Amino acid sequence: MHAHNLAFDKDRLAISPQGAPEAASDADRARTFMGYRRGDGRAATRNYIGVVASVNCSTTVCRAIAEEANRRILPRYEGIDGFVPIVHDQGCGMSSTGDGMANLHRTLAGYARHVNFGGVLMVGLGCEVNQLTLYGQSGTGAEKRHFNIQEAGGSRRSVEKALGILEEIAAEVGKERRVAIPVSEIIVGLQCGGSDGLSGITANPALGAAVDILAAAGGTAILSETSEIYGAEHLLRSRAVNDAVAVKLDGLIAWWENYVALHGASLDNNPSPGNKRGGLTTILEKSLGAVAKGGRSPLNAVYRYAERVTEHGLVFMDTPGYDPVSATGQVAGGANVIAFTTGRGSCFGCRPAPSIKLTSNTALYRAMEEDMDIDCGVIASGEASIAGLGREIFDLIVETASGRKTKSELFGYGDNEFVPWHLGATL
């Protein structure tokens, strides 16, 4: 058998009855993590300050601002995790209306208000389509501030102007200290990338078991990657809490079928060369594993890309399967932790939300241990159970939310992984 002579049959597999996830124990419901309680009541897992570009034209200046702030300001504030440049390649040369602009606006607005940013400075050029006025007016205290490079008098002057503003923000944000917060306020974005034939057998079901524990304790898990649940979406649909949620999921699948057809593509062409070398042949095999990340919990809501997540338990967000784009939407929606499974060795990290990496096989863990946090390959070898690894992953999520550094954080990932979903024409 070869990938070239195997294809996905549109008939869906029959739904096998699944038992409900176990109810949360009193200990899980009472469990806390050490996080930051913001003034508006939300719970943060990190205490960063963001430097957000409204347009590609201000990205170089934003990087320079963050670099100088990390060099000149950060050493004086132990309570701040760092200054993070949030930069991208959009913001102009696009329509001011339509899906493309709506997606970009939701994404940037989500990052500007993200709970893991104690404060945000947004920098524009001045003449772009994505005007700073779309994001509200400058406030007082450790809130977001705005200015345009053209109005500041140029690039170097913009850096100096920004450092003055960031000094004020840091003086307030640096006072924040971790306090005990219920685990019900953890929001985990679920990701898989570089999947292989073991992903749906080890790492993804183990992550699903952790999700069931978190959801039962009142926390939130965001399952995404619509193009990678194709063929198995009915398994997720069967767990929708009501018809409205099921219909919204159906609508996403129909939109994606039309979207790829417009570009002469097929959703069955989704598995990458690495996926196929790892043992995945069609989108169905990949999708069965992807859905497993959601465990057995009921599906409580369906959201648009980068839409703010308000429901607790397991929810779904419409995103592509491309990991940086998908994770960007989840973080914009409020994820304060990312849990990322991989079988081939995907290197990914995220800021401001820390990213936990889970391997599907032990060979990968040993080869790339410097990037991977948990080896789920021990399930395949019989050394551990799915339930046991699920508990270990849940514990690591709580420890990470409390400040434990992940491997990707220790390396320094996160400055280049902000990738908003690009929709619409470039004009």
Side-chain angles (χ1 to χ4, degrees), residues 8-12 224-234 252-254 256-258 260 266-270 282-288 290-291 316:
F8 165 54
D9 189 326
K10 282 195 173 182
D11 291 336
R12 300 314 197 244
S224 299
E225 302 173 307
T226 315
S227 57
E228 292 187 0
I229 66 164
Y230 187 68
E233 75 281 353
H234 64 302
L252 296 184
I253 296 298
W256 272 92
E257 288 177 325
N258 180 64
V260 297
S266 166
L267 283 171
D268 187 37
N269 199 36
N270 180 274
T282 68
I283 187 61
L284 179 57
E285 292 169 326
K286 194 173 184 180
S287 295
L288 288 170
V291 170
F316 188 84

Side-chain angles (χ1 to χ4, degrees), residues 172-326:
E172 298 178 49
V173 175
K175 299 174 185 176
E176 299 282 344
R177 294 295 181 268
R178 291 185 180 271
V179 298
I181 296 174
V183 294
S184 59
E185 298 186 55
I186 294 176
I187 305 175
V188 179
L190 311 176
Q191 286 294 317
C192 55
S195 299
D196 70 350
L198 281 175
S199 292
I201 298 171
T202 60
N204 290 5
L207 178 54
V211 165
D212 288 339
I213 298 171
L214 179 65
T220 305
I222 308 171
L223 183 64
S224 299
E225 302 173 307
T226 315
S227 57
E228 292 187 0
I229 66 164
Y230 187 68
E233 75 281 353
H234 64 302
L235 304 178
L236 189 60
R237 187 189 194 280
S238 69
R239 288 152 50 193
V241 294
N242 55 48
D243 289 341
V245 171
V247 168
K248 286 186 75 173
L249 188 62
D250 290 342
L252 296 184
I253 296 298
W255 184 91
W256 272 92
E257 288 177 325
N258 180 64
Y259 178 59
V260 297
L262 287 173
H263 296 277
S266 166
L267 283 171
D268 187 37
N269 199 36
N270 180 274
S272 69
N275 294 148
K276 294 175 181 178
R277 283 194 293 270
L280 295 174
T281 57
T282 68
I283 187 61
L284 179 57
E285 292 169 326
K286 194 173 184 180
S287 295
L288 288 170
V291 170
K293 298 197 304 293
R296 294 179 292 162
S297 296
L299 179 65
N300 291 333
V302 173
Y303 294 93
R304 296 174 298 171
Y305 183 81
E307 186 176 2
R308 189 170 187 175
V309 172
T310 56
E311 291 287 339
H312 289 261
L314 177 66
V315 303
F316 188 84
M317 176 181 285
D318 182 30
T319 77
Y322 184 41
D323 318 318
V325 177
S326 182

Side-chain angles (χ1 to χ4, degrees), residues 55-57 59 87-92 94 104 418-420 422 426:
V55 64
N56 174 71
C57 310
T59 60
V87 298
H88 54 96
D89 66 351
Q90 299 183 47
C92 204
M94 59 192 299
L104 179 62
F418 176 76
V419 188
H422 196 300
T426 299

